[in-house]
Amino acid sequence: MNKSYQIVVIGGGESGTGAAFLAKKKGYSVLLSDNGTIKDKYKNILTEADIDFEENGHSMSLILSADEVIKSPGIPENIPVIKDIEAHKIPVISEIEFASRYTSAKIIAVTGSNGKTTTALLTHHILKSAGLNAGLAGNVGVSFAMSVATTNFDIYVLELSSFQLDGIKSFKADIAILLNITPDHLDRYNFSFEEYAESKFRITENQTKEDALIFCADDPVITDLIKKHNPVARLFPFSQEKSNIQQGAFITENNIEIKVNKIQVHMTLEKLALQGKHNAYNSMAAGIAARLMDIRRDSLKQAFSDYQNIAHRLEYVSSVHGIEFINDSKATNVNSAWYAIEFYNKPIVWIAGGVDKGNDYSQLKELAKEKVKAIVCLGKDNKKIHSEFADYVETIKDAGSAEEAVTTAYKLAQKGDIVLLSPACASFDLFENFEERGNKFKEAVKSL
């Protein structure tokens, strides 16, 4: 190892490895430091690129030699190593900020508490279908930095979490999409919803009057933030409640209407590949972005109708003796679970639980009382779900694995019911991530 480094990257996952790879390619001396164990696939990338790295601890003398530190989004800002770096006046930025310095591509950035993956994927699908040289990165697929280092796109669609937005300085979205803001990750924001909301709104940072902000006009938190900050970008609202929108998108009767730059796109909701109230919002946001990129009407409508939904988001798994099993493992917060339960009009056996991030279940209680016949708790600590829903759902059972949860739910359900995995919680108590939770659920269903 060197005795000093220009760039130190904290965190050895997808984001950190991508940042280190890009920094090395741009000629910087780089150290990647992780307090835990780095996965083999990332070690291999670092080794092949001749990038110094350390794991299972930080060498503070080396870290404090850096000109700049790139912090991975999963690492909180209040831990001692970050506090020490900041105390030494060393700039700490995000991988998104660093990568943006090395691309001149147009950036469409998508954030929100729910729906950002679907919206980013749909937007990318529309652009690719129209023949544009568009990349997909950020919180979905490869890291932005790795993509910038290894490819050359004209346009990027970036899915961005609040954690990624927290570390930006000069990063700018040419088109920013703000879908919704509901409580999530409050444990990272001093259990302050206001702090979390302000973090999400940073997607508008550095925008100019030439840029665009696409936002949900039905979300009072977003509309209040717009009034408070008065962003200079051109505003393009979308709504299911308002139809007097001159530039943006709205629902009228059973149609989606998109009006951008004097061009109107009209399509019936039944023709959208993505069904459900939440997906109508996602489609409107993606549609506005596509029209701002001058995608032709026919191409946009075709892409809307032939898009394939992502795994782990209201994913149909199987029907066993007339009982439908739905994998919505990506629903890691209360609002996502609300949309999932609201979507179905059959009795639901709801599999919920995991790592609670400061959840407020109040918005779910009446909906659960109306639609949920039983809850199966999938987590190590299920006391909160029991106490919150005891007066609303008659039957609440516990399960310590995906297999046990599926078996228990199957016994509680009957023909015509839905077994819905929509946890409203993170997965890290029993699973590595929401993908593993969803895959274990699907395996268990298939073994019934």
Side-chain angles (χ1 to χ4, degrees):
M1 284 192 183
N2 296 339
K3 291 183 179 178
S4 65
Y5 295 89
Q6 293 165 295
I7 298 283
V8 171
V9 179
I10 305 295
E14 178 69 36
S15 176
T17 302
F21 190 91
L22 177 60
K24 180 74 174 183
K25 185 173 182 180
K26 294 301 177 183
Y28 292 98
S29 57
V30 188
L31 170 68
L32 184 146
S33 179
D34 197 306
N35 200 42
T37 303
I38 301 171
K39 290 182 179 179
D40 286 344
K41 67 175 181 178
Y42 298 126
K43 283 184 187 177
N44 293 338
I45 294 169
L46 296 167
T47 301
E48 288 174 16
D50 196 26
I51 297 169
D52 290 343
F53 66 90
E54 61 178 0
E55 58 183 337
N56 300 314
H58 298 303
S59 299
M60 290 308 298
S61 60
L62 294 175
I63 292 171
L64 296 177
S65 75
D67 297 326
E68 193 167 47
V69 169
I70 302 170
K71 182 182 76 68
S72 297
I75 297 170
E77 295 176 350
N78 59 357
I79 62 171
V81 63
I82 302 301
K83 290 292 187 185
D84 203 2
I85 293 165
E86 291 175 338
H88 283 78
K89 308 297 184 187
I90 300 169
V92 178
I93 63 170
S94 70
E95 169 248 330
I96 297 296
E97 171 71 20
F98 184 68
S100 69
R101 298 173 183 173
Y102 300 102
T103 179
S104 58
K106 186 176 282 286
I107 292 174
I108 301 173
V110 184
T111 198
S113 303
N114 301 292
K116 55 186 178 290
T117 302
T118 300
T119 303
L121 286 166
L122 177 58
T123 304
H124 181 249
H125 171 71
I126 295 167
L127 300 181
K128 290 282 286 182
S129 297
L132 298 185
N133 178 30
L136 177 71
N139 211 34
V140 59
V142 300
S143 67
F144 185 28
M146 184 60 80
S147 186
V148 168
T150 57
T151 53
N152 185 25
F153 291 111
D154 299 325
I155 308 157
Y156 270 106
V157 181
L158 301 180
E159 179 198 330
L160 300 180
S161 68
S162 56
F163 302 158
Q164 289 166 308
L165 291 167
D166 285 336
I168 64 172
K169 300 274 194 294
S170 59
F171 169 87
K172 178 178 77 71
D174 298 281
I175 299 173
I177 299 176
L178 184 51
L179 295 166
N180 46 62
I181 305 178
T182 59
D184 194 12
H185 301 296
L186 298 189
D187 50 337
R188 277 281 290 267
Y189 294 96
N190 302 309
F191 293 94
S192 166
F193 179 55
E194 289 73 21
E195 282 187 32
Y196 170 69
E198 290 287 351
S199 176
K200 283 291 187 191
F201 204 73
R202 291 195 69 185
I203 198 165
T204 67
E205 209 157 290
N206 304 313
Q207 284 195 299
T208 70
K209 61 184 181 180
E210 306 301 321
D211 301 317
L213 171 59
I214 300 167
F215 69 95
C216 181
D218 299 339
D219 189 312
V221 178
I222 293 175
T223 53
D224 284 349
L225 283 167
I226 287 174
K227 290 175 187 173
K228 176 182 175 182
H229 292 285
N230 194 26
V232 298
R234 295 173 295 151
L235 301 181
F236 294 87
F238 57 91
S239 172
Q240 295 190 36
E241 299 171 6
K242 306 173 181 70
S243 59
N244 60 336
I245 290 174
Q246 300 305 309
Q247 287 267 71
F250 56 93
I251 304 292
T252 175
E253 294 179 357
N254 201 38
N255 301 304
I256 183 171
E257 307 278 353
I258 301 168
K259 296 166 66 176
V260 175
N261 298 337
K262 299 181 180 178
I263 301 293
Q264 188 157 344
V265 180
H266 172 98
M267 190 170 180
T268 60
L269 291 172
E270 283 82 0
K271 290 183 179 178
L272 296 175
L274 293 172
Q275 291 292 301
K277 183 177 181 180
H278 58 298
N279 280 324
Y281 281 121
N282 299 335
S283 296
M284 284 191 284
I288 297 169
R291 280 299 308 133
L292 286 169
M293 295 299 299
D294 292 322
I295 302 300
R296 294 174 62 243
R297 271 183 288 205
D298 290 346
S299 179
L300 174 56
K301 290 167 79 169
Q302 181 64 41
F304 267 150
S305 64
D306 63 19
Y307 175 73
Q308 297 294 311
N309 199 8
I310 57 172
H312 311 295
R313 196 71 186 96
L314 293 179
E315 177 189 11
Y316 174 82
V317 178
S318 182
S319 179
V320 182
H321 296 130
I323 300 166
E324 290 183 55
F325 288 82
I326 305 295
N327 169 29
D328 194 41
S329 183
K330 199 173 189 305
T332 58
N333 59 49
V334 169
N335 200 242
S336 284
W338 185 94
Y339 277 120
I341 294 170
E342 190 268 342
F343 181 63
Y344 294 102
N345 291 316
K346 297 178 180 179
I348 294 169
V349 177
W350 177 29
I351 300 176
V355 179
D356 188 296
K357 300 176 288 185
N359 286 356
D360 176 4
Y361 290 106
S362 58
Q363 64 171 298
L364 268 175
K365 289 178 180 177
E366 288 301 327
L367 189 66
K369 184 177 182 179
E370 176 190 346
K371 295 194 169 191
V372 175
K373 64 186 291 184
I375 297 174
V376 178
C377 300
L378 178 58
K380 286 186 176 178
D381 184 0
N382 304 316
K383 292 193 292 290
K384 187 172 180 181
I385 292 177
H386 276 273
S387 63
E388 293 280 348
F389 290 96
D391 295 333
Y392 296 86
V393 179
E394 187 173 338
T395 303
I396 304 178
K397 301 283 189 181
D398 291 314
S401 68
E403 295 79 10
E404 186 182 358
V406 167
T407 302
T408 303
Y410 180 56
K411 290 176 181 175
L412 290 168
Q414 59 190 43
K415 186 176 181 180
D417 291 353
I418 299 269
V419 172
L420 173 66
L421 170 67
S422 191
C425 296
S427 57
F428 308 124
D429 55 345
L430 295 174
F431 309 95
E432 184 176 332
N433 48 41
F434 74 82
E435 290 97 339
E436 185 191 14
R437 176 170 59 190
N439 288 332
K440 293 281 189 186
F441 172 78
K442 290 191 283 187
E443 288 170 14
V445 172
K446 287 167 184 174
S447 66
L448 283 174

